[in-house]
Amino acid sequence: MKKIKFVVLALAATIMFACGGGKKEGSVVGNWKLKKTEGYEVGTLGETTLNFEEPSTYKWKTGIVESIGDYKISNDTLTMTDKNNPTYPTKYTFKFQEGQLLMTLVTTPKYQVTYFFE
């Protein structure tokens, strides 16, 4: 029984590390954790995570506040539409840099901020 538990745990660890936490290289799909922001000061109420799933859904969570919706990508533009507020989609330019996902808000230039996710 102990050998079976060890094998199952070893297999789970191998899959988790091989998949990089569910991230696909060169794709936004996966689980991301906010490391820092630059630009307009954005207050947070705790840890911020962003999860993109195929084919086109996302969940952005900051503390107890959560946004769930759909996303689409066109070239280097990521458009996120919250299901609770579909009238005002939010647009970001995005790129990958040294294993990070960088998203810069472009919908409201006055409040331009870049999010650094790992």
Side-chain angles (χ1 to χ4, degrees):
M1 187 67 170
K2 287 183 179 181
K3 285 183 180 180
I4 293 173
K5 285 182 182 178
F6 175 76
V7 170
V8 170
L9 288 173
L11 181 60
T14 302
I15 291 170
M16 187 173 82
F17 289 113
C19 294
K23 295 178 190 164
K24 289 185 171 185
E25 189 171 328
S27 169
V28 298
V29 173
N31 299 308
W32 301 91
K33 184 175 177 182
L34 183 66
K35 292 299 177 185
K36 70 175 186 172
T37 61
E38 287 182 0
Y40 186 78
E41 186 64 35
V42 178
T44 61
L45 301 172
E47 180 179 81
T48 298
T49 57
L50 179 56
N51 180 2
F52 290 103
E53 296 179 1
E54 291 181 320
S56 62
T57 59
Y58 77 88
K59 179 165 66 171
W60 185 314
K61 186 173 182 183
T62 300
I64 61 170
V65 179
E66 191 171 83
S67 170
I68 298 173
D70 298 311
Y71 72 91
K72 68 179 180 178
I73 294 175
S74 177
N75 299 319
D76 68 343
T77 301
L78 170 66
T79 304
M80 299 171 69
T81 305
D82 187 312
K83 290 187 184 219
N84 291 322
N85 192 8
T87 308
Y88 300 103
T90 306
K91 292 186 179 188
Y92 302 87
T93 56
F94 76 98
K95 66 180 178 179
F96 299 99
Q97 180 178 305
E98 299 175 9
Q100 293 186 323
L101 169 62
L102 281 63
M103 295 173 40
T104 302
L105 180 66
V106 294
T107 304
T108 317
K110 178 179 176 182
Y111 302 110
Q112 188 174 29
V113 61
T114 299
Y115 298 92
F116 293 78
F117 289 95
E118 287 186 341

